Amino acid sequence: GAVVSQHPSRVICKSGTSVKIECRSLDFQATTMFWYRQFPKQSLMLMATSNEGSKATYEQGVEKDKFLINHASLTLSTLTVTSAHPEDSSFYICSARVDSAPGARSGYTFGSGTRLTVV
Amino acid sequence: GQNIDQPTEMTATEGAIVQINCTYQTSGFNGLFWYQQHAGEAPTFLSYNVLDGLEEKGRFSSFLSRSKGYSYLLLKELQMKDSASYLCAVAPTDKLIFGTGTRLQVFP
C-alpha cells in the first residue's frame, strides 16, 4: 500500500520550454506532498511542500515562478518547470506523508523520480 | 536552520561491518530515517528512530541519541549489492530534510 506514481520517468526538453511532472497517490489520499531535486552525486534537496487546495510552501532559494506546484486534488500534485534551462537538468522526485503511526514501515513514500534533461 | 551531516564516501570489504554516522541540528524533531538509494532510483526505507536507542532489523541496525543529535546506521555481513548511497533524514516538522548522503562502495 501507499504507492505514489510519478510520470514521466525521463524527459528531454529544449531550453525555454516548460515541463510538467505528475505525482499521483494510488491507494491513499495525500493531503501533503513534497518535491525534491537531486543533482548527480548529491543528496535530495527539498524544494517545496505541496498542500491540497492551498498554495505551496517553497524552501528558501527556490524560485516560485519557475517551479509551479499545483495540488488540486487529494491524489494529484504537479510540478511544472517553466522556461527550463540546462542548469535545471536534475532528478526530481516527489514524496507523500503516509498517515500511519510512528514506527510503521515508513512514514513517507516516494515516487520513482523524473530525470529531466534540458538541451 | 537545518544541518544534517554525513561522511561523503566510505569503502568496505564484502562480509565486513560498516557504520555510517549522521549528526544533525534541526529546529524540531519528529524522527530520524535512514534510506538506501541506488543511482537514478527512489530512496528505499531502511529504518526509523524516534526514541533513543538501537533498532535492529536483520543486517541493518540504526542507533539514535537525541541529546547528542547523533545517529548511525550499522550494516553487517556486507554484500556487493549494499554498494549504494545511504541517506540520513530528519523530520523537524512534517517534512523530511535529507543529509548530505554517504556513498558506500563494497569491494570483494
Side-chain angles (χ1 to χ4, degrees):
Chain A
V3 175
V4 171
S5 175
Q6 183 172 346
H7 294 281
S9 58
R10 290 179 179 272
V11 59
I12 301 174
C13 71
K14 291 184 177 180
S15 186
T17 61
S18 295
V19 173
K20 180 186 282 188
I21 301 170
E22 292 189 350
C23 273
R24 293 181 183 274
S25 56
L26 299 184
D27 50 2
F28 69 103
Q29 293 184 330
T31 54
T32 302
M33 278 200 181
F34 307 95
W35 287 94
Y36 294 86
R37 178 169 55 183
Q38 185 175 34
F39 292 108
K41 297 187 177 182
Q42 294 187 22
S43 191
L44 278 70
M45 186 191 78
L46 181 65
M47 300 174 67
T49 301
S50 161
N51 298 295
E52 185 269 334
S54 64
K55 290 183 179 179
T57 303
Y58 290 81
E59 296 297 306
Q60 192 173 9
V62 178
E63 299 175 59
K64 302 178 184 181
D65 295 332
K66 181 166 185 62
F67 299 100
L68 300 180
I69 291 173
N70 185 281
H71 196 155
S73 78
L74 287 171
T75 58
L76 176 64
S77 177
T78 62
L79 167 67
T80 301
V81 183
T82 62
S83 187
H85 289 96
E87 56 266 32
D88 298 323
S89 298
S90 188
F91 187 61
Y92 293 86
I93 191 164
C94 63
S95 174
R97 179 81 171 94
V98 179
D99 290 327
S100 52
R105 185 177 181 276
S106 174
Y108 299 84
T109 185
F110 289 84
S112 54
T114 298
R115 172 72 60 194
L116 170 64
T117 303
V118 184
V119 297
Chain B
Q2 327 287 7
N3 199 37
I4 305 171
D5 289 318
Q6 303 175 235
T8 305
E9 292 186 350
M10 297 184 72
T11 59
T13 306
E14 195 175 15
I17 300 173
V18 70
Q19 177 175 312
I20 303 174
N21 295 324
C22 171
T23 57
Y24 65 91
Q25 288 180 306
T26 56
S27 53
F29 186 81
N30 287 321
L32 185 144
F33 296 76
W34 283 95
Y35 289 89
Q36 180 192 64
Q37 187 185 28
H38 288 98
E41 298 180 9
T44 303
F45 171 77
L46 292 177
S47 69
Y48 170 74
N49 295 72
V50 67
L51 300 176
D52 289 352
L54 187 68
E55 293 283 340
E56 296 185 85
K57 193 187 281 188
R59 294 191 299 117
F60 297 84
S61 304
S62 58
F63 171 83
L64 174 68
S65 169
R66 289 172 296 170
S67 62
K68 295 182 180 178
Y70 168 71
S71 173
Y72 67 72
L73 178 70
L74 194 70
L75 292 78
K76 303 175 186 175
E77 301 170 14
L78 280 173
Q79 302 174 10
M80 298 298 291
K81 67 178 182 179
D82 296 329
S83 293
S85 289
Y86 291 85
L87 310 177
C88 169
V90 175
T93 57
D94 64 338
K95 57 187 179 184
L96 259 187
I97 305 298
F98 282 84
T100 48
T102 300
R103 286 193 303 279
L104 173 66
Q105 185 72 44
V106 180
F107 292 99

